[in-house]
Amino acid sequence: HVQLVESGGGSVQPGGSLRLSCEASVVTNCMGWFRQAPGKEREGVAAIDRTGTTSYADSVKGRFTISRDNAKNTLYLQMNSLKPEDTAMYYCAAREGRWCPLRSDAFGYWGQGTQVTVS
């Protein structure tokens, strides 16, 4: 069983930056960030596997960077040039296995979420 704890959310003005962190109890091959705004479905933001291969949603490419420190069991999401439409609850997720898709139904472990508000 994998436990995930997010931190780093908050309120920021448009154009600002935030860095999210997710501490995991164990390292899994695939980890990702997802977000859900009120009234909307959960969507994938970025995913990264143990080798460092990444994937991003089109809406965040060039603005967000996902990274991981396997020695610290920690996942990061650096968010720059934030927009009001980035406002959402952000969730860290982990998946065992070699496949690392940016799909919420592929991930079995989830954190409690951290709120990001851009206004």
Side-chain angles (χ1 to χ4, degrees):
H1 184 72
V2 181
Q3 293 180 318
L4 304 167
V5 179
E6 303 98 334
S7 61
S11 296
V12 64
Q13 293 183 342
S17 299
L18 283 173
R19 188 193 196 203
L20 305 183
S21 298
C22 171
E23 187 171 346
S25 58
V26 296
V27 175
T28 61
N29 176 60
C30 179
M31 299 187 76
W33 289 99
F34 293 79
R35 65 187 182 186
Q36 188 167 20
K40 295 187 177 181
E41 294 186 354
R42 188 172 296 187
E43 63 174 352
V45 176
I48 185 170
D49 69 13
R50 191 190 291 259
T51 69
T53 300
T54 59
S55 58
Y56 293 92
D58 288 342
S59 59
V60 306
K61 284 181 180 177
R63 300 188 298 122
F64 291 10
T65 302
I66 189 172
S67 62
R68 62 190 289 171
D69 185 333
N70 292 328
K72 296 182 178 179
N73 290 5
T74 303
L75 177 73
Y76 303 100
L77 184 69
Q78 177 66 45
M79 304 185 294
N80 298 328
S81 302
L82 283 161
K83 304 175 181 180
E85 50 263 45
D86 295 318
T87 295
M89 185 71 78
Y90 282 70
Y91 297 91
C92 171
R95 181 184 186 282
E96 296 171 323
R98 295 175 60 184
W99 191 34
C100 197
L102 193 53
R103 286 174 40 182
S104 59
D105 60 352
F107 285 75
Y109 303 102
W110 294 86
Q112 294 298 307
T114 185
Q115 179 68 38
V116 171
T117 302
V118 185
S119 64

